[in-house]
Amino acid sequence: MEAARDNVVAFHGIGGIGKSTLSRKFEASFADPGQRPTQWGAPLWGAARILPVRIDLARSVNPDFEKVVLSVRLALAAIGRPLPAFDLALRRYWEHQHPGDPLEDFLNRGGLAVRFGKALPQQMQSALSDVAQALLLPGTVGSAIGQVTGVLVGALRERRRTVRALADCARLADLLESEPDLDSLSYYPHLLAWELGRIPAAKRVTPVILLDTFEEIGDRTHRDFERLLQRLVWLMPNAFFVITGRSRLQWADEALQGQLDFTGPSAWPGLVARDVPQDRVDLPAPGRERQMLIGDFSCEDCDDYLARRLSTGGRPLISDSIRTVIAQRSHGLPLYLDLSVMRFLELRRSGHTPQPADFDHGFPALIARTLSDLTAPERHVLRSVSLFSSFDIALATRAAGLPQQAPALRLVERPFVRETPFGLWPFHLHALIRATIRGADDQTDDRWSATDWQQAATRALSALGEQWRDGSDRDRPLLVGCLRQGLAIARDYRLDLGWLTEAAWNYVGDSVWEPLDLAAGHQGEGTAATAAEALVELLSALARRQHENRARTVERLTMVADTGLLPAELSDMAVYYRAKAQRDLGHTEKSRQGMQRVADGGGRLAPNARRGIAHLSRLAGDFPTALAAAGNLGWEGRHHRVVGDVQWVQGNVQLAAQAFGAARTEGEEHGKRGEAAMSQAMRAFTLAFTTDLTIDDEIDLGEHLLAQVDLRAATLDVRIAALLRDAGTGTGVEERAQVLAAEISTSGLLFAQAKLELARAFHHAIRDDQEGVAYKVSRLRELTREGYYAYYVDIAHFMAGLALDSPSRAHWLDDQQRVRQRWRDMVIGRRAVLPSGSASGAPPSDGMTR
C-alpha cells in the first residue's frame, strides 16, 4: 500500500493535437493487435492478456465516479467469473445509494450494458448466492444484501472456515462496515485489485484503463473528482492507466499534499516534472519517463496528412501550394489542419476554386478550444501575453494589470505554453495559438475590444520598460530582448516611443549590433507611418548593415531620415550612420556634409561626428589636421583610435599599436565591447606588418572579442591581419586573399578592399615580385581614384622601394623620406626572418593576367 506507483503514463498537450485520437488508437490496438500501427513495432508484453477499457471524462459525456467504477467492473466481466469481494461491496453501495433503482436498469439506461454486455448483474447475483450458501443462509435471506454482509463481516472477524475464500482480503470487513457513500466507493478498487491477484496465472489479465480528456474533471483548485480517480489508480497497482489531457499531471508535486491523498516524487517517480527535457530514447527502464508532452506535427507530417486526408483518383485533392501554406500556418497543430480541410471543402462546394491566399485565415474555433477550460483571470493573462514573443511570470502579471501572480502561474502549466528554461524569458505561447488569439475573429463572451487590446499593449510596453530599467546597465541580452519585443508592440499598436528612445541609444552605443529580427509590420519593410515604425526601420538597418551592401544601408537610412517621424536626436542617428556608410562607399563629400550636420547640432553623436570629420581628413591624406582633431575628441570621440589610425599609415606601427591598445582598454573600462573589439582588430592589423612575436596572440584576442559582437569591418581587419602575418611565405596567402576579396566585394566596403590590396602589395614586396607589386599598385590606384586613401598607392611604392610616379598628395607627419624608410624597413625585416628562399622572387600565384 505504501510502495511507489509506476502504473500510470500521462500524455498531455494542447487542444486539437490528437490526444483523444491517440487514446482511441491505444484501445483499438489492445483489443485487436491487427489494428496496431506498423510503425509501433511488435508488442512488448508477449502472450500476456490485455483487457482495455477507455473512459471519456468529457463533460458532454456526463461522467461521474460511479460510472468510472462501473465501467472498470463491466470490462472485467469479460474474465467470466464473479469477483465476490468487490461485487458484494458494490451491491451494498448501490442498494443504499439507489434504493428502488436496480443496477441492471441503470446500466441499460446509460448504454453501459450495450457497450460491455449484461454479464455483471448475473455475476454479482452469483457472488451473492455463493456467499449466502457458504454462510448457510436460506435462499430468501441470500437475496438481501444487508443480511449477507452483516453475517459475512461477523464470519470474517471470527475467521470462520466457511468464508476462507474471502478471509485473505484483510480490508474486506472494514470496507463492508463503512458507510456506503462515495468516499467508501473510491476505496473499493482495492477489492478489485485483490480479486485480480487471485486469478490463476494461466487466466490472468492486465486491465489497461484509458482515462481521456482528464482536464474536464475539475480545475487546479477543486480536485474532489481528481482525488477519487487518483485513489482508483493507487489502489489498483496491477492495472495500468493511460491518462490523456491538456495539462500535466501534478501528482508528483509536494505542494499538493492535503489536496490529494498520494503526492510527491517518492509516490510517483515517473511523473516528476523536469526543468530540462530529457531524451526519451536512452532513459534507463527503472527511471523511464511516465509523463510526455504531445508535440506538433513536422512540416513533412502536415503535408503527408493533408495529401492523404482528401484524395481523388489516388492523387491529393489539395494542391502542393495550398498544402504548403496550410502547413506553414498550422505550426504543426492537427486541429488547424482539420479546420483547413473543412474550409477547402466549403470553398469547393460554393463553386470557388481554392487558392493559397484563401488559407491566410484564422479560425475562431481554435480560440474556443484553447479558452474552454481556462478561468476568466487565466483568459485575461493569455490574451495579454499573446503580445509577447516570450515572457516570465512577472511580465505576464504586469501586462495583465493583475495584483496577483496566481493566474499567470496557473497559465504557464498549460500545454500551449512552452518553456525554455535557459531563455531570457522562459515561457512562450504555441506559435499558432498566439497568432490566432491576436488575429482571429474572437466570438467568445469575454472577447476584447480594440480599446482593450490598446490598453493591454500600453501595459505590456510599460512592463518591458520597467524590466529593462530594473536590470543591470551592462545586461546586453536584457536590453536587446526588451527592444525586440517593445519595438514590435509599439509599432503594431502605434504607441509613443517612451523608454524605447533611451534603449535605442544604449543599443547603438555598445557597437555590438545583434540582429533585432523584427518581422515586417503592417506597412511592410522599408515603409514607416509612425515614429515606432521609423525606429524599427532605423535599428534594423543599422544591425543588418553588417550583412548588407553599404549602398542598401544608405538607401534605408535615407528613407528613415526623410520621414520626419523621429525626434531630432534619433534623426541625427540616421544621418550619422548614413554618413559612415557613404564614407565606406567612397562618397566622401556626402559623408562630410552629413557628419558636419550632426556635429553642428551638438547632440549625443556630435563627438562621433567630429571623429568622422577627422577620419575624412585622414582619408584625404591631411594627417596633421586629423591628429590635431584627435586631441579635442576625448573618450566620446574615441581619440585613441583616431591617433592609431593616423600613426600606422606613417609607418609608426608601435605608436599606433599603443594607441589602439589604449582604445581597447578604454572600451573595456566603459563596458563597450564593440569599441574594444574594433580597437583590438586594428591593433592586430597594425602589428601584423612587423615581426612581433606576439602577433598570434593579438589575432587570437581580436577573434575572441569579435565573437561576442557583430562587426563586419573589424572582422575583415583581423582576417587581413592573418594574411599580413603570413606575408612573404608560400602558405596560400594569395588563395586566401582571393576568397577574402570576393567576400569584401559583396559588402561595398571600399576601404576594406583597399586595405586588402595593400596587404597583398606587402606580400609581393617581401617576395621581391615586382610584377605583382605593379599589379597591386594599379588596383590601389583604381580603388582610390576619387582621391581618398590615395596614400595607399604611395605606401605600396615605399614598401617595394619604388619611386613615385607622381608627387604625393598626402601631408605626412614627418619627412616623406622617413615614412618611406619605415615601410621599406618592415619589408626588409620580414625577409630577414623568413626561411632561406621563401622570400625569393617566385612568380605570384593569384592566377591573374598581368
Side-chain angles (χ1 to χ4, degrees), residues 85-161:
F86 176 83
D87 290 348
L88 286 170
L90 179 61
R91 178 70 175 267
R92 177 172 175 266
Y93 168 86
W94 193 263
E95 291 194 359
H96 187 275
Q97 292 292 330
H98 302 276
D101 185 10
L103 178 60
E104 186 171 3
D105 291 349
F106 176 83
L107 297 178
N108 288 330
R109 288 197 309 271
L112 294 177
V114 175
R115 180 181 174 192
F116 294 103
K118 300 184 178 183
L120 177 58
Q122 291 83 353
Q123 290 182 5
M124 292 181 70
Q125 186 61 42
S126 174
L128 184 62
S129 299
D130 290 345
V131 171
Q133 184 177 1
L135 295 172
L136 301 178
L137 296 174
T140 55
V141 178
S143 62
I145 186 63
Q147 293 288 339
V148 173
T149 55
V151 177
L152 176 60
V153 169
L156 291 172
R157 300 292 189 200
E158 296 168 6
R159 300 184 179 277
R160 299 178 193 172
R161 295 185 60 187

Side-chain angles (χ1 to χ4, degrees), residues 544-703:
R544 287 172 58 180
R545 71 196 175 106
Q546 306 297 331
H547 308 280
E548 290 182 336
N549 191 287
R550 286 296 197 266
R552 172 61 178 153
T553 302
V554 169
E555 178 185 331
R556 296 181 67 182
L557 293 178
T558 298
M559 185 280 297
V560 172
D562 290 348
T563 62
L565 295 170
L566 292 174
E569 56 179 342
L570 290 177
S571 182
D572 275 357
M573 184 186 294
V575 174
Y576 170 74
Y577 281 100
R578 179 181 64 183
K580 285 191 68 174
Q582 289 168 333
R583 184 187 69 200
D584 295 341
L585 291 167
H587 304 160
T588 48
E589 189 53 40
K590 291 182 179 179
S591 176
R592 184 183 297 278
Q593 293 172 6
M595 292 291 184
Q596 194 65 56
R597 171 181 160 183
V598 175
D600 292 343
R604 297 197 200 193
L605 287 173
N608 303 65
R610 287 192 288 271
R611 181 183 75 241
I613 295 171
H615 278 314
L616 288 170
S617 297
R618 172 178 60 85
L619 268 54
D622 189 357
F623 302 122
T625 298
L627 189 61
N632 301 316
L633 294 175
W635 150 249
E636 294 81 2
R638 308 303 191 257
H639 54 151
H640 287 309
R641 185 148 56 88
V642 175
V643 170
D645 283 332
V646 171
Q647 290 291 358
W648 79 263
V649 295
Q650 314 300 313
N652 292 324
V653 291
Q654 293 300 332
L655 288 177
Q658 291 173 11
F660 288 129
R664 181 198 65 211
T665 301
E666 272 195 338
E668 292 171 338
E669 290 173 349
H670 286 82
K672 304 298 185 183
R673 289 184 293 165
E675 175 61 26
M678 285 187 285
S679 299
Q680 177 58 33
M682 278 306 299
R683 177 177 167 84
F685 171 84
T686 299
L687 290 174
F689 283 105
T690 72
T691 57
D692 195 305
L693 298 178
T694 66
I695 185 56
D696 288 342
D697 295 335
E698 299 290 347
I699 291 174
D700 289 344
L701 178 57
E703 292 174 342

Side-chain angles (χ1 to χ4, degrees), residues 366-440:
L366 283 173
I367 298 179
R369 289 288 295 270
T370 303
L371 302 181
S372 61
D373 61 334
L374 299 181
T375 64
E378 288 170 353
R379 292 194 295 271
H380 183 75
V381 175
L382 174 61
R383 290 188 172 98
S384 299
V385 299
S386 71
L387 297 167
F388 299 120
S389 57
S390 59
F391 61 93
D392 59 16
I393 299 299
L395 199 60
T397 304
R398 291 181 184 178
L402 297 177
Q404 302 91 15
Q405 292 187 345
L409 288 168
R410 293 196 300 271
L411 182 73
V412 298
E413 296 174 356
R414 303 291 180 169
F416 52 78
V417 179
R418 306 298 168 81
E419 183 173 7
T420 306
F422 303 114
L424 177 61
W425 293 288
F427 303 109
H428 64 277
L429 293 180
H430 183 284
L432 178 60
I433 298 302
R434 181 182 180 226
T436 304
I437 290 291
R438 294 184 63 178

Side-chain angles (χ1 to χ4, degrees), residues 94-289:
W94 193 263
E95 291 194 359
H96 187 275
Q97 292 292 330
H98 302 276
D101 185 10
L103 178 60
E104 186 171 3
D105 291 349
F106 176 83
L107 297 178
N108 288 330
R109 288 197 309 271
L112 294 177
V114 175
R115 180 181 174 192
F116 294 103
K118 300 184 178 183
L120 177 58
Q122 291 83 353
Q123 290 182 5
M124 292 181 70
Q125 186 61 42
S126 174
L128 184 62
S129 299
D130 290 345
V131 171
Q133 184 177 1
L135 295 172
L136 301 178
L137 296 174
T140 55
V141 178
S143 62
I145 186 63
Q147 293 288 339
V148 173
T149 55
V151 177
L152 176 60
V153 169
L156 291 172
R157 300 292 189 200
E158 296 168 6
R159 300 184 179 277
R160 299 178 193 172
R161 295 185 60 187
T162 55
V163 292
R164 61 185 177 183
L166 297 174
D168 291 336
C169 188
R171 297 174 182 84
L172 177 58
D174 294 332
L175 289 173
L176 289 176
E177 284 186 318
S178 65
E179 179 70 19
D181 55 16
L182 192 63
D183 195 59
S184 293
L185 178 65
S186 68
Y187 288 100
Y188 292 177
H190 166 68
L191 302 177
L192 273 181
W194 181 80
E195 293 282 13
L196 288 171
R198 290 202 310 151
I199 299 175
K203 297 183 178 180
R204 190 161 295 170
V205 300
T206 298
V208 176
I209 302 167
L210 302 113
L211 302 176
D212 191 27
T213 57
F214 201 77
E215 73 276 0
E216 298 270 9
I217 63 173
D219 55 41
R220 296 302 173 91
T221 302
H222 303 92
R223 296 180 181 267
D224 298 335
F225 197 174
E226 185 177 2
R227 177 194 289 267
L228 300 176
L229 290 176
Q230 194 202 53
R231 284 180 189 164
L232 172 70
V233 177
W234 185 271
L235 295 172
M236 295 188 70
N238 49 359
F240 195 79
F241 292 82
V242 180
I243 295 178
T244 46
R246 294 190 184 183
S247 303
R248 178 180 65 85
L249 276 185
Q250 295 180 305
W251 296 353
D253 294 355
E254 295 279 11
L256 291 186
Q257 188 172 8
Q259 295 188 62
L260 300 175
D261 294 341
F262 312 97
T263 58
S266 59
W268 309 95
L271 299 180
V272 176
R274 305 183 187 279
D275 291 335
V276 182
Q278 296 191 359
D279 187 350
R280 299 175 186 166
V281 177
D282 299 325
L283 287 174
R288 61 185 179 273
E289 195 77 43

